[in-house]
Each structure stands twice: as structure tokens, then as C-alpha cells.
Amino acid sequence: MKDIIQTIIENGKNFPDQVAVKHNDESLTYEALNQYADHLAVILKDTKSPLILYGHMSPYMIVGMIGSIKAGCGYVPIDTSIPQERVVSIINKIAPQYLLNTTDAQLHIEGPSIITTTALLNVDGDSPIENSINDSAIAYTIFTSGSTGEPKGVQISYESLNLFTNWMIQLNQLGLNQQWLNQAPFSFDLSVMSIYPCLATAGTLNLVDKTMINKPKLLNQMLEETQINVWVSTPSFMEMCLMLPHLTEAHYSSLKEFFFCGEMLAHRTAQLLQQRFPSAFIYNTYGPTEATVAVTSVLITEDIIKKYNPLPVGIPQSGTSLTLTEEGELVILGKCVSEGYVKDKTRSEKVFKMQDGQKAYYTGDKAQLKDNQWFINGRIDYQIKLNGYRMELEEIECQLREVDYVREAIVVPMYRDGKVINLNAVVVLNHVEDHMDNQTITHQIKKELKRLIPEYMIPKKITYTDKLPLTMNGKLDRKKIAEDLLK
Ligand code: AMP
């Protein structure tokens, strides 16, 4: 098995001038990546708490990852889209000694010492340091939505990260020195699917930022300028890109491999992509953050598309097994399973167990095994995916109730073709001033929410009612509320 950090160090020697990471006109070669990561590791070497890695698509975010793993403390990525209150709550939980700020913005955060990228360039006289992380140490902690209103920090060990990366290297049919595309912000673990497999195979990691995502013209320009070979994204992002009429094999002949994860790959998306890129390898993979990005995969061929709708998510990687509870909930067993939520015994004990001497994670996904292929059939709880983002409806409801005007709230996902397309909130108001109409209140509620949760979690539409309906046994009647919204 390849040790990622060791391999990246060797790539620094074998391919010193090759670009390791690129974002617009900023790039770092393998030599520079290793050098700056070493500088950072020297600063962090006696640190016990993880490094907070703050920024968006700067190549220095990757320096932060490699340097903190080398130093043995690991990292917690925080994207710039995360609101201040949430950043503070993550920092309070982690109690970090250091924060690497890869942005130009001044951060007003109490607690950690702030390291700037300039400081990384200025550490002198140190020689390359050995990789000092051991297998059981936590390589990264990624925070995901939690139903109580407080995000959960999923801790992934260096061993799990290595196992995952080695599996991805086996799936990748194109080998060394490829151009990889990374779409996901680093605070989502889908980014792990491109970062480490790319760097461990001496590829170039091309970072797509949020401006490119919002402006297809810029994205098109980036794709025209860079001969991408391996594409890693959510299916939602692919759907958006398929609107670019030139995204075809004839026009982008370098694009030969696609990896999807994070949400259902819609049949029509796979079909359209397969028609546009008939000779490419298209993988559908499945997994939660709690089991190191992905645990199953299937190569989506023309035959699979003809035979199945919805599409399967495939079979598990070796060393990982899947079982179902009596209720049909999918359980993942193996070394890929997280060490638990950081400093959160109660929530960890609910979903992480030991089973037959192995770590087990209760996913909350309903699944089915058919023709020796796994299929995902929805959730047993109120976790959803919207544009590839994972969120708990109950967390949004919790935060809505934090807003002064709101007494009660329920959030209802609206579906098209089995996929959530937006969120509606139904709200019972506290007393509001007479002059305020619904439009003004909606504006105020959304403004307040912006402080508390990321923008992608804010309901698009808010409707108002005097009372939320209850079921016979006194629970909120989500089904009736959803039906009423469709009337
Ligand atoms: P995350 O932790 O953000 O990766 O989200 C994990 C959840 O996304 C899983 O528990 C599933 O509900 C869903 N998911 C991930 N990959 C797939 C897939 N290929 N097909 C269907 N659902 C998926």
C-alpha cells in the first residue's frame, strides 16, 4: 500500500517542476508544495490540536493539509462560505493552537495563533522533516450538518485516508501525471476524492472556485485552457456543466474519466454523459463522510444504463463490508469507518458501534442488494442532499427557531425526479409589528439565518401559517404540510 505523504515527498524529487496544484494563475510545483508543507510542519511540530485550515480554493490550502499531516496533528478545513458564528462554534469545539489563513482577509478570531501564507514562505534554514503521523492519528476532521443545530466533526484517521486513496488509485484507469478537476470546497469530503489520488499519482490538481461555478462562461474558459483528464464532482455539478453544449468527447478529447459521489447519480444525467463521452470511464461511487468519502463503486456502462433505473452504487471496496439491519438501514463495516464525532460521545455512540470486532457505522440510508449490486433507496431520517450539499432539515428548523420572529418552523424539501430541487419553510410567527408584511418578515428571517447557517441551507421560500398540523400521535405532520404546499 502506498503511504500518501511518502509518495508526495518522492514526487517532489521525481517531478520537482511539475505543477501539483493550480487555481487560476496561482500554482505550486511538487517541489514548492513539499517545501512549504515542510515549513508549516516545522511550525506545527509540537502541536497536539488540529490545524484550522481557513480559505477557499487557494493552493496553500493543500500546503496546509500536507504540512499538518506531516506534523502529525492533521487539519480541519473551513471554507470561506461558512458563516462566522459557525466558524466560532467549530473553533470552540476544536480548541486549536494554530489557524492557517490562506485568504487576504483579516480574521478576527479569538484563540488560535494565525499563520499567514507569507509566514510559510519565510521560515528559513529548516531541512525536510520526516512524516511523523501514525496510522491511528486523525488526518482530518470534517464538519457536517447536525440535527441538534450543532455541526458534527467527523474524524478520519491516516490509515483510513491511505486505504481510501489506494482504492481510488486502483479504480483510476489513467495512471500517473493526469490533470484532475476538483469541484468540491475543501470543507466537503468529496474534495478528498480528487486531492490525494491526484497527488499520490503525481497529477495536477485543478481547483474550480465558486465564481466559476456561478458563471459557466468562466468554467468553460478554464476547461478550454486546461486539458482535464479526470473529473471529480457531484452529479449536480455535472448536470449544470452538461448545459455547456461543447462538453463532448469531440471537443474535450482529454476528458477520459469521471468520478461521482455525494448524491444520487440520476439516470438521465448518466445517459447524457455516456452519449457525450462514449469512450470515457464513468464511476458512480457511494459513501458518507463518516466512512471516508466513498465505499462502493460501479463503472457506469451502456449496459448498466439500459438495465437499471435508478442506477446502482456498485460493490464495496475490499476490506469493507455492508450489511442491512432488519429495518433495511445500511451499515458499513471496516477500517474506513471514522473514529467518531470529535468530543461528542453521545452522538457518536448512536451511530458508531463495534460489530464482529470491526468498526461499524449506521448510515441512515435505506439500501437494497440486487443482482450483486447495492442500490440506495432514500433515508430513514430527515437528512437530505441539495445540489450535493448534505444537511439535516432539523438543523435548519432549529436555527429558524433562533430567529426572534419565529415561534415554530418546519422545512419541507421539494422534489423533481426524485431529487431535492429546493427547500420551503413553513413558519408560525411570534408577535410581529403591525407595519411588517410577509415580504419584509421573510427578508428579515433570511438575513438572520445567513448569520447562523451556510447560504445553501437557507430555504428558498417561506410561507406562514397560524398552526402546524399534528399527526394522530401528536408529532408534526410533515407529510400533510408537504401536501398542502403542493396545492
Ligand atoms: P456526505 O457525508 O456529504 O458524503 O453524504 C453522505 C450521504 O449522501 C449518504 O449517506 C447518502 O445518503 C448520500 N449519497 C452519497 N453518495 C450517493 C450515491 N452515489 N447515490 C445515492 N446517495 C448517495
Side-chain angles (χ1 to χ4, degrees):
M1 189 170 81
K2 273 191 184 193
D3 177 287
I4 314 164
I5 296 296
Q6 208 46 46
T7 312
I8 295 172
I9 295 172
E10 277 153 30
N11 290 343
K13 293 178 190 146
N14 297 333
F15 310 98
D17 300 327
Q18 182 170 318
V19 174
V21 197
K22 187 170 180 300
H23 172 242
N24 290 337
D25 46 12
E26 255 193 312
S27 63
L28 289 176
T29 62
Y30 272 91
E31 187 173 43
L33 173 64
N34 275 293
Q35 209 175 28
Y36 299 151
D38 269 339
H39 291 171
L40 178 64
V42 169
I43 301 176
L44 299 176
K45 73 179 182 316
D46 298 319
T47 312
K48 295 281 173 284
S49 55
L51 170 74
I52 300 283
L53 201 45
Y54 184 80
H56 185 49
M57 285 299 174
S58 160
Y60 289 94
M61 291 292 276
I62 309 295
V63 172
M65 295 174 195
I66 310 300
S68 62
I69 295 182
K70 251 188 164 177
C73 64
Y75 62 91
V76 181
I78 300 186
D79 189 71
T80 47
S81 61
I82 311 283
Q84 170 88 3
E85 294 218 4
R86 210 173 168 92
V87 175
V88 170
S89 108
I90 293 175
I91 287 181
N92 288 343
K93 185 113 218 180
I94 297 288
Q97 199 175 337
Y98 289 104
L99 180 153
L100 174 63
N101 179 10
T102 65
T103 70
D104 294 332
Q106 288 271 337
L107 292 183
H108 303 286
I109 284 175
E110 279 178 33
S113 308
I114 311 267
I115 307 170
T116 61
T117 50
T118 335
L120 286 188
L121 314 183
N122 289 341
V123 184
D124 41 35
D126 44 68
S127 51
I129 73 158
E130 296 291 311
N131 181 22
S132 61
I133 193 159
N134 57 45
D135 270 357
S136 60
I138 303 302
Y140 67 79
T141 303
I142 282 187
F143 278 81
T144 73
S145 176
S147 56
T148 58
E150 203 194 322
K152 302 177 283 200
V154 182
Q155 307 178 96
I156 297 297
S157 72
Y158 187 53
E159 181 178 32
S160 305
L161 179 57
N162 264 319
L163 286 167
F164 168 73
T165 306
N166 278 273
W167 173 58
M168 278 293 296
I169 293 172
Q170 279 171 25
L171 292 181
N172 168 28
Q173 317 242 354
L174 307 184
L176 292 180
N177 306 123
Q178 301 296 307
Q179 296 283 333
W180 290 62
L181 174 133
N182 171 75
Q183 164 256 320
F186 301 129
S187 45
F188 299 98
D189 79 338
L190 176 60
S191 61
V192 171
M193 190 175 253
S194 54
I195 299 166
Y196 297 98
C198 167
L199 297 180
T201 52
T204 300
L205 188 66
N206 294 277
L207 306 176
V208 174
D209 63 35
K210 57 174 187 261
T211 335
M212 294 177 196
I213 295 178
N214 294 332
K215 290 199 182 126
K217 221 172 134 189
L218 290 179
L219 182 70
N220 199 24
Q221 191 181 328
M222 184 252 193
L223 292 173
E224 293 285 342
E225 285 165 7
T226 318
Q227 303 284 300
I228 299 291
N229 310 114
V230 189
W231 177 291
V232 181
S233 82
T234 57
S236 292
F237 181 70
M238 184 78 255
E239 276 161 37
M240 194 190 90
C241 294
L242 282 170
M243 287 191 227
L244 298 170
H246 297 314
L247 198 66
T248 60
E249 195 163 283
H251 198 81
Y252 292 98
S253 55
S254 62
L255 243 177
K256 298 233 178 305
E257 197 166 61
F258 296 86
F259 287 99
F260 298 111
C261 191
E263 61 183 342
M264 181 186 78
L265 173 62
H267 188 267
R268 65 186 148 70
T269 310
Q271 194 170 35
L272 185 56
L273 184 63
Q274 212 275 330
Q275 283 162 0
R276 298 244 197 130
F277 289 86
S279 49
F281 303 105
I282 303 171
Y283 285 100
N284 185 20
T285 72
Y286 155 84
T289 308
E290 284 86 340
T292 322
V293 192
V295 292
T296 71
S297 73
V298 56
L299 193 58
I300 301 290
T301 57
E302 218 180 327
D303 279 356
I304 295 265
I305 293 174
K306 272 196 198 125
K307 197 163 168 200
Y308 299 108
N309 185 5
L311 294 169
V313 295
I315 54 167
Q317 66 191 87
S318 75
T320 297
S321 50
L322 305 182
T323 61
L324 290 176
T325 64
E326 272 177 20
E327 294 75 34
E329 181 184 2
L330 184 68
V331 183
I332 301 173
L333 296 113
K335 288 185 172 164
C336 59
V337 170
S338 154
E339 305 305 307
Y341 300 124
V342 65
K343 298 179 190 162
D344 198 337
K345 208 162 163 242
T346 318
R347 285 195 290 184
S348 297
E349 279 174 357
K350 278 194 189 142
V351 290
F352 295 106
K353 322 238 158 146
M354 283 305 283
Q355 223 160 283
D356 307 327
Q358 295 196 80
K359 290 186 287 182
Y361 172 62
Y362 283 65
T363 61
D365 288 316
K366 287 190 259 180
Q368 185 192 5
L369 185 64
K370 201 174 69 187
D371 301 343
N372 217 15
Q373 293 277 343
W374 284 95
F375 291 80
I376 303 297
N377 303 329
R379 297 281 309 171
I380 61 166
D381 56 13
Y382 301 117
Q383 181 182 301
I384 57 136
K385 282 281 170 134
L386 174 58
N387 297 326
Y389 294 114
R390 166 174 162 177
M391 58 195 83
E392 304 270 354
L393 298 178
E394 288 151 304
E395 172 170 16
I396 308 172
E397 289 159 5
C398 253
Q399 301 294 6
L400 264 166
R401 277 184 233 114
E402 290 292 303
V403 177
D404 274 351
Y405 303 111
V406 179
R407 173 138 50 93
E408 259 312 322
I410 196 140
V411 177
V412 183
M414 306 309 276
Y415 289 85
R416 189 191 298 145
D417 299 335
K419 223 178 142 173
V420 179
I421 49 164
N422 60 50
L423 299 178
N424 277 4
V426 181
V427 162
V428 180
L429 289 172
N430 277 324
H431 177 72
V432 288
E433 293 119 64
D434 288 340
H435 65 274
M436 286 180 88
D437 58 15
N438 282 357
Q439 205 183 348
T440 321
I441 300 169
T442 299
H443 178 76
Q444 286 300 332
I445 293 179
K446 287 192 178 179
K447 199 168 137 199
E448 281 286 296
L449 276 182
K450 236 181 188 170
R451 264 190 331 104
L452 303 166
I453 49 178
E455 278 203 62
Y456 58 76
M457 288 172 77
I458 298 178
K460 192 167 170 203
K461 201 170 151 200
I462 303 181
T463 49
Y464 299 93
T465 180
D466 294 336
K467 208 163 109 216
L468 292 173
L470 300 182
T471 60
M472 294 281 279
N473 51 16
K475 289 185 184 175
L476 277 176
D477 195 343
R478 286 179 184 268
K479 208 165 145 225
K480 175 151 193 337
I481 299 167
E483 282 164 6
D484 288 350
L485 280 173
L486 290 174
K487 277 181 195 157

